[in-house]
Amino acid sequence: MDALDFLETPISTGTTIMAVEFEGGVVIGADSRTSAGSFVANRVTDKLTRITDHIYCCRSGSAADTQAIADIVAYSLDYHENQTGQPATVLEAASEFRNFCYNYRSSLLAAMIVAGWDEKLGGQVYSVPLGGMLVREACAIGGSGSSYIYGFVKEHYKPNMPLEDCVEFVKKAVKHAIFRDTASGGVVRIGILTREGFERRLFFNTESGESVVQNTLELKVE
Amino acid sequence: MFNNGIVQPLWYNGPSPGQFYNFPGYANNGNMKQCHETNNSDSTRSTAMITTGSSVLGIKFDQGVLIAADTLVSYGSLSRFQNIDRIFKINDNIIMGGGGDFADIQSIMRSIDQKMIEDQCYADNIAMRPKALATWMTRVLYNRRSRMNPLFIDVVIGGIDENNEPYLANVDLRGRAFSDYVVSTGFARHLALPLVREKKPADRDFTLEEASELIRQCMEVLYYRDTKNSSQYTVGVCKVKDSTSNQCDVEGPFQVDEKWSFAKMVKGY
């Protein structure tokens, strides 16, 4: 491994994604920027992708790779639900993601956070980073923007927060990451997964999303 | 063996003694250091270690073995996952500690778990022994490396063999196996191995107390001197309980007893 040390440094994947377990479910969050180098290809991307009604994944890395994997896993789980007659568990979804990300690790650039609610274990968050390992975490962050909020998350995360506190925590964390990471930007998309299903929330810097220009000097031409 | 003065290959498409041998899957671009996974696309992204575990240390004592590893999995220089158990109980006779790429460790663990389930299905009251598992791992890892598609792992396998003899071995990504009373991977090879060897009594094995104390000391040194080690660790214990059964568990997590107060005596540089 000494001869191959130079290969050790992993590549950061543009985006900020996050998922937190709380009492009764999970809260997921992401920014909305898809960048192609320095160009913002999509400023209103939805990185919170539905796998089943109760399982969503947060995508970071190559947009093409993650979309392809998410589509395949969603299809596969739908078939599985059909065969078993029961809703898929979050661990089943996370395992499928892991199997793809691990077996094709040399061809893919995909780091996912799989989060959801199932009857067996309640709210769960699983992290599948580059390389394809699988680990469950109560609070997972990912993407290039996550580097800037490790400190924030360590300071402000508390296990088993009530729902509104959790939403506030995820919103603030993603906002902080967007502030410093050029590869993250746009709006903060939040998702809440519970026994009841999925609820979306959207937060922008300005309340309405419209541009607000203050105190400009009007150019008077005489 | 010789045919018209040209040496025949050792096996079909195998190496010819004296000739240069191109391993299958080896991309001929002159860079000996690159390992490629053959994949369907023409991507040549190397499978480097990405999420990695650091050192693993194994010590044999009179009644069994101890294997210790910290609970950190790093992502390059980032301490990414800080609560991961890298010591695994394989069955009642075997424990294993995994270092190197953690996705590969999880992958080999799935294969091993399947093997153990198969073993149980035979229902013959015979559970696999550590030396058998170590030999199997050696073959798997050697074959993968020979196909230029290694599992980037370095493992310590230990347990109780037949005749209630403790067994301890280290197998690495090249398929190199080594058995001794103390084995380790990574930084522990430089820091812990000499420490343990120094303390070894010439005429007998370690006792459990001596081995535990050594683990504690080595984990402390590794925490101080390895950037990719954390202060929390778990220890696998596999020891003979009586003539028919063993006690095999993973204990912890334990915390290193850090000593920093002498820092106030250091001023200037």
Side-chain angles (χ1 to χ4, degrees):
Chain A
M1 303 215 256
D2 352 316
L4 299 159
D5 268 356
F6 70 94
L7 296 169
E8 226 173 295
T9 340
I11 316 164
S12 234
T13 50
T15 255
T16 308
I17 49 174
M18 188 168 172
V20 184
E21 291 176 15
F22 75 97
E23 196 66 57
V26 294
V27 174
I28 55 178
D31 71 310
S32 69
R33 176 172 289 185
T34 306
S35 40
S38 302
F39 176 66
V40 179
N42 185 354
R43 65 184 176 100
V44 287
T45 326
D46 182 13
K47 298 178 194 178
L48 310 175
T49 307
R50 179 191 176 279
I51 305 297
T52 70
D53 282 339
H54 287 89
I55 306 171
Y56 272 65
C57 75
C58 307
R59 302 180 290 109
S60 78
S62 151
D65 286 347
T66 55
Q67 283 174 9
I69 299 172
D71 285 347
I72 295 171
V73 174
Y75 163 78
S76 172
L77 277 183
D78 182 58
Y79 185 82
H80 181 72
E81 284 187 338
N82 198 272
Q83 294 289 294
T84 59
Q86 287 186 326
T89 64
V90 189
L91 183 53
E92 281 170 352
S95 288
E96 286 240 21
F97 272 105
R98 183 271 310 273
N99 290 342
F100 268 104
C101 293
Y102 179 71
N103 290 325
Y104 297 101
R105 61 190 277 179
S106 61
S107 328
L108 293 172
L109 193 66
M112 328 281 279
I113 299 179
V114 186
W117 182 94
D118 62 39
E119 188 68 58
K120 204 166 147 195
L121 293 170
Q124 299 143 73
V125 171
Y126 294 93
S127 208
V128 182
L130 243 46
M133 68 176 266
L134 172 66
V135 66
R136 180 177 175 185
E137 295 185 285
C139 172
I141 54 179
S144 61
S146 67
S147 312
Y148 305 97
I149 52 173
Y150 273 98
F152 177 87
V153 166
K154 182 164 191 279
E155 198 60 32
H156 296 286
Y157 169 70
K158 288 182 300 292
N160 293 324
M161 287 183 264
L163 171 63
E164 290 307 324
D165 288 0
C166 210
V167 171
E168 199 52 35
F169 169 63
V170 175
K171 177 181 64 145
K172 274 203 190 130
V174 178
K175 204 164 151 199
H176 273 89
I178 288 172
F179 187 68
R180 286 294 183 180
D181 182 28
T182 53
S184 303
V187 300
V188 179
R189 291 195 190 275
I190 299 269
I192 304 162
L193 281 154
T194 56
R195 177 192 293 272
E196 279 71 53
F198 183 65
E199 182 199 322
R200 266 193 195 278
R201 294 198 198 171
L202 186 56
F203 300 100
F204 357 85
N205 270 328
T206 61
E207 207 53 45
S208 64
E210 301 306 315
S211 66
V212 172
V213 183
Q214 291 173 322
N215 298 329
T216 44
L217 295 171
E218 239 185 57
L219 184 65
K220 289 195 167 64
V221 179
E222 314 243 325
Chain B
M1 196 163 91
F2 289 87
N3 191 5
N4 300 333
I6 299 165
V7 179
Q8 293 287 69
L10 292 173
W11 59 84
Y12 177 71
N13 276 347
S16 219
Q19 301 299 312
F20 187 75
Y21 179 58
N22 280 317
F23 281 97
Y26 171 67
N28 204 2
N29 58 8
N31 184 355
M32 293 290 280
K33 286 195 181 121
Q34 269 190 315
C35 283
H36 299 284
E37 245 184 33
T38 45
N39 46 51
N40 297 325
S41 64
D42 281 316
S43 151
T44 50
R45 194 171 89 88
S46 328
T47 44
M49 302 194 294
I50 301 178
T51 40
T52 58
S54 186
S55 325
V56 182
L57 172 66
I59 303 184
K60 196 197 285 187
F61 60 98
D62 51 3
Q63 294 289 302
V65 294
L66 293 175
I67 305 184
D70 69 338
T71 59
L72 175 67
V73 169
S74 315
Y75 185 74
S77 64
L78 171 68
S79 296
R80 181 68 189 83
F81 302 107
Q82 292 175 330
N83 224 336
I84 306 244
D85 212 341
R86 295 194 289 118
I87 308 287
F88 306 96
K89 174 178 169 173
I90 309 291
N91 64 20
D92 283 329
N93 304 319
I94 316 176
I95 46 173
M96 184 176 100
D101 186 271
F102 202 69
D104 286 339
I105 293 282
Q106 286 187 331
S107 165
I108 201 88
M109 276 311 296
R110 286 205 301 288
S111 307
I112 292 176
D113 287 340
Q114 280 171 351
K115 237 182 171 14
M116 293 304 129
I117 291 172
E118 233 180 80
D119 209 13
Q120 283 180 320
C121 288
Y122 286 124
D124 54 6
N125 287 330
I126 301 176
M128 190 181 258
R129 296 287 176 174
K131 183 156 189 207
L133 187 71
T135 321
W136 174 80
M137 280 282 259
T138 317
R139 297 269 60 75
V140 168
L141 292 173
Y142 180 72
N143 262 278
R144 290 285 299 252
R145 85 105 220 214
S146 296
R147 275 180 271 130
M148 296 301 273
N149 176 209
L151 286 163
F152 274 92
I153 62 178
D154 208 342
V155 297
V156 171
I157 298 171
I160 312 291
D161 246 341
E162 293 96 13
N163 312 317
N164 287 338
E165 287 290 315
Y167 176 83
L168 186 64
N170 164 231
V171 190
D172 78 354
L173 72 161
R174 298 175 200 84
R176 188 271 301 136
F178 174 70
S179 171
D180 204 358
Y181 64 85
V182 58
V183 293
S184 57
T185 74
F187 254 76
R189 205 168 273 157
H190 295 106
L191 298 171
L193 234 49
L195 205 158
V196 177
R197 285 181 181 155
E198 198 60 28
K199 286 277 163 63
K200 174 82 169 53
D203 50 350
R204 60 171 178 85
D205 294 322
F206 289 119
T207 63
L208 175 58
E209 289 73 31
E210 288 171 339
S212 307
E213 185 51 37
L214 279 169
I215 294 274
R216 238 170 272 130
Q217 281 179 359
C218 290
M219 284 293 125
E220 196 184 331
V221 168
L222 288 170
Y223 170 60
Y224 293 147
R225 298 295 181 176
D226 182 3
T227 55
K228 304 244 177 88
N229 249 64
S230 74
S231 58
Q232 190 186 67
Y233 63 97
T234 51
V235 186
V237 191
C238 198
K239 65 175 193 260
V240 180
K241 205 161 58 171
D242 53 56
S243 60
T244 48
S245 67
N246 306 318
Q247 181 209 330
C248 203
D249 295 297
V250 178
E251 287 166 20
F254 303 108
Q255 198 61 234
V256 162
D257 186 15
E258 321 176 37
K259 301 179 180 68
W260 295 101
S261 56
F262 71 97
K264 59 181 180 294
M265 293 192 281
V266 181
K267 291 188 172 71
Y269 295 97

